[in-house]
Amino acid sequence: MIPLAEAQAAALALAGVGPVVEVDPREGLGLVLAAPIVVEHPLPPFDNTGMDGFALRSADTAEASPQHPCRLTIVGTLAAGDDPTGVEVPRGAALRIMTGAPLPAGADAIAIVEDVQVEGSTVILTAPVPLGAHVRRRGSDAAVGERILSEGTLITPAVHGLLASLGVRTLFAYRRPRVAVLSTGNELTDEEPLPPGKIHDSNRPVLLALVAQAGGVPIDHGVVDDDPEQLRAALSTAAAHSDLVLSSGGVSVGDYDYTKRVIDELGELRWLQVAIKPAKPLALGHIGTTPVIGLPGNPVSSVVSFELFARPLIRKLLGARRWHRPLLRARCGAPFERRPDGKLHLIRSQASVSRDGELVVEPYRLQGSHVLSGLAGANALALIPDGDGAPAGSTVSILLIGELDGQDGPSLGV
Ligand code: AMP
Ligand code: MG
């Protein structure tokens, strides 16, 4: 058996970062920038007001006080989206203005509506309005020529929005890896009702969903029988049309475990026995230049193996800077029991945040490597090193593989 870290390094060594492609930013969510974004148009594109109020000349208000209020004549209105061409604020005047509207010629400050009094067509101020008050200057968010986003930036929803606001029309990103997923096993079927001796294929839907979640393009290559001929055809087709092939099943030592043999025949194979539980057997290899990961068949093992070996590789292909799920420390809310066996145990767990903000982890009650519901109820894998387990109250490392819910209660209560 080899240590987990060594197996992870071997899986990551299967491929480098994917090719760079030119992308329409509307298709960019979840991709990683392969070149920096340089600002071509200033943001905001024109001076505008950050508040509802009156555009005016600051100098006109310099002497304003409660004893000597300043009275300005309202000469018009500008709303967001209005064209300011030809609109001017002369000395002694003010213009009613709405948030986002362009600053009209002559004006250099905004008096907010809450701070003034209006009498007919006159606005009355009892304090000076400083030069530039509430004015959002052209180019103050992003100036022309500025490198606003660096290579390696992940396009999150906020970055996606920033690209739109900058008017970016095209960008360079690492191509989304196409990931072929296939299941192996004579027992698997999509038929309903189940014929005798058959079971539903659950690995394929889980893995296809995990691929999409990791940022890859999932490609469904169906179920393949435990038959070397069929497996050869399926694996070579999958390899020819993808950047990564994920198979599940057939990598242990059973009589019908053909996956390893066939990958070896078609390309090159390294078969590993990783010192972990679950997900000990693992096949890594290439068919042509396409990396192949043979995940174990047990439903829980295949997901754990995906998380440890396939997801980091997908993130690497995608050009992401960080490939692994977050590793955190959490307090055990219940004991984690195990016996020494030379393996690191990855225990399906529920991590939560206590009322005082502490991360707490508890083992999920169903732990069998065939029990998918044990994984469905878990959002973390607790890493319990070889030995006698971890008592309640002690601290363990956890790999967060799902969403971490917030605290109980109706409000933030800060
Ligand atoms: P294998 O790794 O092929 O020996 O399979 C180990 C166990 O996982 C067996 O009980 C299989 O029936 C089960 N299994 C393998 N592949 C799948 C799958 N795609 N969906 C559900 N169970 C599976
Ligand atoms: Mg099998």
Side-chain angles (χ1 to χ4, degrees):
M1 290 195 297
I2 69 163
L4 174 61
E6 204 179 304
Q8 282 189 308
L12 279 166
L14 290 177
V17 60
V20 174
V21 286
E22 200 168 347
V23 184
D24 180 329
R26 287 171 297 188
E27 309 294 321
L29 192 66
L31 293 179
V32 176
L33 294 177
I37 298 291
V38 177
V39 178
E40 286 181 26
H41 313 286
L43 188 66
F46 47 85
D47 291 355
N48 69 96
T49 174
M51 299 292 274
D52 295 325
F54 291 87
L56 44 75
R57 293 169 181 252
S58 169
D60 286 348
T61 69
E63 308 294 322
S65 70
Q67 293 73 35
H68 302 284
C70 158
R71 302 172 72 89
L72 302 171
T73 308
I74 302 170
V75 294
T77 300
L78 267 182
D82 284 352
D83 181 352
T85 311
V87 180
E88 213 198 317
V89 178
R91 235 183 246 162
L95 190 118
R96 206 183 282 277
I97 197 164
M98 317 300 154
T99 305
L103 191 73
D108 55 22
I110 306 295
I112 67 174
V113 73
E114 293 87 340
D115 288 352
V116 303
Q117 257 183 294
V118 176
E119 274 177 15
S121 60
T122 303
V123 57
I124 303 162
L125 297 97
T126 54
V129 182
L131 187 69
H134 306 294
V135 175
R136 300 191 290 211
R137 288 288 171 206
R138 168 185 160 92
S140 57
D141 288 359
V144 173
E146 186 186 331
R147 281 180 166 228
I148 194 156
L149 295 167
S150 56
E151 187 260 329
T153 301
L154 176 69
I155 304 179
T156 59
V159 172
H160 196 54
L162 178 58
L163 293 168
S165 70
L166 289 166
V168 171
R169 290 300 170 88
T170 184
L171 54 83
F172 292 95
Y174 298 101
R175 192 172 71 193
R176 213 181 278 285
R178 298 159 300 172
V179 183
V181 175
L182 58 91
S183 291
T184 69
N186 290 346
E187 73 278 31
L188 305 175
T189 179
D190 292 331
E191 261 178 77
E192 189 64 55
L194 284 173
K198 306 286 181 186
I199 60 169
H200 292 298
D201 173 12
S202 62
N203 291 353
R204 205 158 39 98
V206 180
L207 294 170
L208 288 166
L210 288 170
V211 165
Q213 213 181 47
V217 182
I219 309 174
D220 188 350
H221 280 263
V223 175
V224 188
D225 281 345
D226 290 315
D227 169 70
E229 205 52 52
Q230 274 195 41
L231 209 50
R232 250 191 298 276
L235 283 170
S236 32
T237 306
H241 296 101
S242 69
D243 303 306
L244 171 64
V245 177
L246 299 180
S247 68
S248 71
V251 294
S252 19
V253 289
D255 288 349
Y256 301 104
D257 288 340
Y258 294 121
T259 309
K260 291 176 290 180
R261 207 175 86 192
V262 170
I263 298 173
D264 199 26
E265 279 170 25
L266 291 173
E268 61 199 47
L269 169 87
R270 186 171 167 205
W271 186 58
L272 307 175
Q273 298 264 67
V274 190
I276 55 174
K277 184 184 172 183
K280 182 170 80 158
L282 176 70
L284 302 177
H286 287 95
I287 297 174
T289 54
T290 308
V292 184
I293 302 184
L295 305 167
N298 264 316
V300 173
S301 309
S302 74
V303 173
V304 170
S305 196
F306 176 92
E307 288 292 346
L308 298 177
F309 308 110
R311 190 178 184 280
L313 186 61
I314 294 171
R315 300 301 296 164
K316 182 180 181 186
L317 282 162
L318 193 65
R321 287 287 153 84
R322 294 190 183 82
W323 305 327
H324 296 289
R325 294 279 203 183
L327 191 62
L328 305 169
R329 299 286 290 170
R331 187 174 56 78
C332 300
F336 282 81
E337 284 158 4
R338 59 158 296 169
R339 290 277 157 257
D341 60 3
K343 295 181 204 163
L344 173 71
H345 287 200
L346 298 131
I347 300 189
R348 275 71 72 204
S349 305
Q350 267 173 328
S352 58
V353 182
S354 72
R355 299 214 100 205
D356 46 5
E358 195 191 7
L359 195 55
V360 178
V361 66
E362 291 185 9
Y364 195 69
R365 54 198 165 79
L366 302 165
Q367 290 294 330
S369 61
H370 59 290
V371 188
L372 198 55
S373 56
L375 202 56
N379 63 353
L381 297 173
L383 275 50
I384 309 297
D386 195 20
D388 291 309
S394 65
T395 302
V396 295
S397 293
I398 66 166
L399 199 63
L400 202 61
I401 59 168
E403 296 277 321
L404 190 59
D405 283 334
Q407 274 101 330
D408 287 345
S411 81
L412 285 180
V414 178

